[in-house]
Amino acid sequence: MAEYKERRPQAVMISKRVNVFYLEHVRLMQKDERVVYLTEGNHGIDQFVAIPDKNTAFILLGKGTSITDAAARKLAESNVLVGFCGSGGSPLFGVIDVAFLLPQDEYRPTSHAQKWFALWANDRTRIEMGREFLRYRVTYDKRMYKKLKIEVPELIFDTFDENITHCETITDLLAAEGRFAKALYAALASVYSIPKFIRDAGAKKKDNPEQRVNSFLDHGNYLAYGYAAVALHGMGVPYFLPVLHGKTRRGALVFDVADLFKDWLVMPLAFRCASEKAKNNQFRAEVIEHALKHEVLDDVMGFISSLPDKVT
């Protein structure tokens, strides 16, 4: 009789992974070859909840969490990124910085990083990379705002697109981006009837629509950073090679990549959920659902892969 051998589940491709977890007040550990988190159930009885690590993109650990070395090793084997953050998904260790524990995989692809290094080291091509980032961003935004039927003036996107063409330096590109972001915030504030909104990252929470939007933006941005970190890590491109954010910031490319899709993924949901007085977990669930439904990882990894061919 042939011996039965249990088959271990195969990891899902990074770009196709379904799950993202935000956890608070739990202990993450390994139990019976599975990654689980321990939480207190009804009547004080501890409960173990399994995490499908082979189909998880990243995990954010918030307040009151801990992780064992065995769980960290198991997650690394499945190529799952782990990030530490504050309550609700906003930062704990810095205002904008984000800390991710990267799986130490010796066999990630090198071709993307080698091409990126060559382009990044040249001032002229780095500016062109930044221009391509913004062109992709505005095209992506226009497509998704139409698809999601969010009615903001198309002139906002067209003006940004035109300004990108005339920029000659990274400073020019950042200035054009700043004007675009300001116009988009104002348009969304009008759509969702929150006219007094002013972007104030890290602001103290108050019970009014404006601060609810700011709070959701902070939380949603860190989910976006997670997706960006997963895409870059999966393709083997180092985080410290940004094209728009400061060259001295160790994770700046994560912010550049997150900006590619934050405008349509995080911003409209933040305004809508604030206007509906939604809870933090409802907002996070919608961001994750939209990211999966609209294949954010696929789109972003495709752009990163094609970028070197667009820059001459």
Side-chain angles (χ1 to χ4, degrees):
M1 178 181 288
E3 181 182 355
Y4 172 76
K5 186 175 182 179
E6 183 180 359
R7 295 182 61 187
R8 299 187 65 179
Q10 296 294 309
V12 177
M13 288 177 57
I14 288 176
S15 63
K16 300 295 185 183
R17 294 192 177 189
V18 171
N19 298 300
V20 171
F21 291 91
Y22 168 76
L23 302 173
E24 282 188 348
H25 304 290
V26 301
R27 178 172 172 79
L28 205 61
M29 62 182 69
Q30 181 175 323
K31 180 178 173 61
D32 300 329
E33 293 300 314
R34 297 179 303 161
V35 177
V36 301
Y37 61 88
L38 178 63
T39 183
E40 186 176 297
N42 294 331
H43 310 295
I45 300 174
D46 290 340
Q47 293 182 335
F48 291 98
V49 182
I51 289 180
D53 54 291
K54 300 293 185 184
N55 194 19
T56 295
F58 65 95
I59 297 172
L60 290 176
L61 298 179
K63 293 283 190 178
T65 54
S66 63
I67 182 170
T68 65
D69 62 307
R73 181 174 62 249
K74 184 73 172 174
L75 291 171
E77 289 174 358
S78 300
N79 227 356
V80 179
L81 272 65
V82 178
F84 289 93
C85 59
S87 179
S90 58
L92 176 62
F93 301 121
V95 177
I96 336 182
D97 208 356
V98 62
F100 280 98
L101 300 179
L102 305 182
Q104 294 305 299
D105 185 350
E106 297 292 335
Y107 298 100
R108 285 183 297 147
T110 58
S111 58
H112 301 296
Q114 289 164 356
K115 292 177 182 179
W116 203 277
F117 268 110
L119 295 171
W120 185 87
N122 182 291
D123 288 343
R124 182 188 64 81
T125 53
R126 190 167 63 250
I127 291 171
E128 289 307 310
M129 290 171 78
R131 196 188 312 277
E132 288 299 327
F133 258 70
L134 295 185
R135 282 174 175 160
Y136 177 81
R137 176 177 170 180
V138 72
T139 301
Y140 201 4
D141 284 352
K142 285 180 70 173
R143 172 164 59 90
M144 293 308 301
Y145 269 76
K146 286 182 179 179
K147 189 172 184 178
L148 297 171
K149 298 180 180 179
I150 304 170
E151 297 183 0
V152 300
E154 194 165 316
L155 181 62
I156 294 174
F157 303 113
D158 293 339
T159 301
F160 185 31
D161 196 14
E162 183 179 350
N163 288 341
I164 293 168
T165 303
H166 300 298
C167 292
E168 297 182 359
T169 66
I170 293 294
T171 301
D172 292 340
L173 291 171
L174 289 171
E177 179 195 35
R179 293 192 296 271
F180 165 70
K182 186 176 181 179
L184 190 55
Y185 277 130
L188 288 169
S190 176
V191 168
Y192 292 100
S193 302
I194 308 178
K196 296 181 180 179
F197 173 78
I198 297 175
R199 179 65 176 125
D200 188 4
K204 293 182 179 179
K205 189 175 180 181
K206 297 179 181 178
D207 190 19
N208 62 51
E210 294 79 18
Q211 290 306 88
R212 285 197 294 270
V213 175
N214 275 304
S215 178
F216 286 145
L217 287 171
D218 290 342
H219 296 173
N221 285 349
Y222 272 78
L223 289 171
Y225 298 153
Y227 284 110
V230 168
L232 290 169
H233 176 73
M235 301 190 72
V237 180
Y239 297 172
F240 55 82
L241 297 175
V243 295
L244 290 168
H245 286 85
K247 289 189 290 183
T248 58
R249 294 175 62 180
R250 64 182 173 86
L253 187 55
V254 170
F255 307 131
D256 282 344
V257 172
D259 282 348
L260 295 173
F261 54 89
K262 277 168 32 182
D263 298 332
W264 68 262
L265 177 63
V266 176
M267 287 172 60
L269 284 175
F271 277 90
R272 179 168 65 76
C273 287
S275 68
E276 296 173 354
K277 298 184 178 181
K279 301 294 185 182
N280 284 340
N281 59 345
Q282 294 172 306
F283 168 72
R284 286 193 299 271
E286 290 214 38
V287 172
I288 294 168
E289 181 183 346
H290 273 59
L292 173 64
K293 179 179 178 180
H294 300 292
E295 301 181 325
V296 164
L297 284 174
D298 260 341
D299 281 345
V300 170
M301 293 175 78
F303 167 73
I304 294 170
S305 177
S306 66
L307 182 62
D309 295 330
K310 297 179 179 179
V311 178
T312 57

